[in-house]
Amino acid sequence: MSGIRFDSVSVAYGGNTVLDSLDLTVEPGEVMALLGPSGSGKTTALRAVAGFVRPASGRVLIGGRDVTALPPHKRGIGMVVQQYALFPHMRVADNVAFGLRAQKAPKAEIPGRVAEALEMTGMAAYAERYPRELSGGQQQRVAIARALAIRPGVLLLDEPLSALDAQLRSGMLTELARLHRELPDVSILYVTHDQVEALTLADRIAVMDRARLQDCGTPQQLYRAPRTEFTASFVGNANLLPVTVADGGALFAGHPLALDPGRAAVGAAATLCVRPHLLGLGAGPNALSGTITEVQWRGSTHRLYVDVEGHRVKADLPELRETPALGDHVTLHFEPRDAVLLAAGVCDD
């Protein structure tokens, strides 16, 4: 059984609410990323599913079954945390078998299920090694194999890649994406503060901040059409500029911009959201002119920081053959379809 449902789940410690009335459903076979800064409530939500914290109110359901009062070992879940948590005195195969033995699986089944889990995670050749003989990425694969060996309906991943270096993290992202394809019936709840991990792996992303759910949607929806300023700034980089809604567009510092105002009322205050890579250099529609305050070379791109009417605008441009100098006056532009208008100051449900 898979699928997770948070039914108005709240968690409090000493009178301090750390998760506030969370309503969220993870469909069977779906990867849901909980994305947010430290203290946003995302790890608390995962721990409520695992059974490590008891909600002050609300219910947690797994596969349609209310598990709010059940202990962790009776919930049918697998869990992987950022520090691997392998037993150093046990070989890899014994680490992977630990959950099966704890569940009192038939002894005759254990070797086959251990071998299956190690094969799935690419660790079959390391079954007889100790954790100290493995790299960080290999240890994390073993931790994932241990979680998969019990054949859980729900897999919980709590910042599983944060302890790895950038190269290992990239490789593990590829492996996790492959595992997802091979385990289409397993629901995965993935906690991270890393945008790239969430955008790469998740079918949907739940954006958390200040103990509350702020937004939820597919990676494409949240990136291209965020509902809130917080989502726009946390899911990818964004330029957020104060504007006034006008007929057929908006006014920024008195300058007209052509874009779709949606249902916003003319004269209302709003926030213009445009991604840095969607800004072009030179004349064009929706021009923003200003002075360069910083230039960063990033290999294949240059990032320009431009002071536009007292606002710091960043533009990510393909590597420039001639780098502009600090203090140069430049013009940036963007297409109307590449901008989104947000209700000013909206950060909560």
Side-chain angles (χ1 to χ4, degrees), residues 241-259 272 284-290 307-311 329 331-332 334 341:
L241 302 174
V243 297
T244 302
V245 179
D247 189 15
L251 296 174
F252 168 63
H255 303 294
L257 300 173
L259 47 91
L272 174 73
N286 293 328
L288 301 171
S289 297
D307 184 293
V308 180
E309 303 290 347
H311 298 276
H329 187 82
T331 297
L332 305 171
F334 63 89
L341 271 186

Side-chain angles (χ1 to χ4, degrees), residues 17 38 142 175 191 196 201 262 268 306 310 315:
T17 299
S38 297
V142 174
E175 290 303 311
V191 166
V196 173
L201 289 175
V306 182

Side-chain angles (χ1 to χ4, degrees), residues 251-318:
L251 296 174
F252 168 63
H255 303 294
L257 300 173
L259 47 91
D260 181 6
R263 293 178 293 178
V266 173
T271 299
L272 174 73
C273 170
V274 60
R275 302 293 183 181
H277 73 280
L278 295 175
L279 287 167
L281 184 63
N286 293 328
L288 301 171
S289 297
T291 303
I292 294 179
T293 60
E294 187 177 352
V295 178
Q296 295 177 353
W297 178 67
R298 300 189 172 192
S300 61
T301 63
H302 273 97
R303 170 167 285 189
L304 304 185
Y305 289 90
V306 182
D307 184 293
V308 180
E309 303 290 347
H311 298 276
R312 196 181 197 215
V313 175
K314 47 187 179 284
D316 291 336
L317 306 168

Side-chain angles (χ1 to χ4, degrees), residues 20-38:
D20 189 3
S21 302
L22 177 61
D23 283 302
L24 184 67
T25 298
V26 183
E27 300 294 344
E30 181 179 35
V31 178
M32 174 73 78
L34 295 182
L35 178 67
S38 297

Side-chain angles (χ1 to χ4, degrees), residues 188-199:
I188 300 177
L189 190 61
Y190 190 102
V191 166
T192 183
H193 64 274
D194 188 285
Q195 305 167 18
V196 173
E197 291 179 23
L199 292 171

Side-chain angles (χ1 to χ4, degrees), residues 76-79 96 98-100 103 113 145-153:
I77 60 172
M79 186 168 180
V96 175
F98 182 82
L100 292 168
Q103 289 188 344
R113 289 172 65 173
R146 180 174 58 190
L148 295 177
I150 64 172
R151 296 175 181 168

Side-chain angles (χ1 to χ4, degrees), residues 190-256:
Y190 190 102
V191 166
T192 183
H193 64 274
D194 188 285
Q195 305 167 18
V196 173
E197 291 179 23
L199 292 171
T200 301
L201 289 175
D203 297 309
R204 287 191 298 152
I205 300 172
V207 182
M208 306 284 295
D209 187 42
R210 295 171 294 164
R212 299 198 67 199
L213 177 66
Q214 302 293 335
D215 212 340
C216 186
T218 67
Q220 293 82 2
Q221 288 170 338
L222 297 185
Y223 189 83
R224 294 172 181 164
R227 283 196 316 115
T228 70
E229 291 180 23
F230 181 80
T231 300
S233 62
F234 204 82
V235 181
N237 281 300
N239 292 299
L240 300 174
L241 302 174
V243 297
T244 302
V245 179
D247 189 15
L251 296 174
F252 168 63
H255 303 294

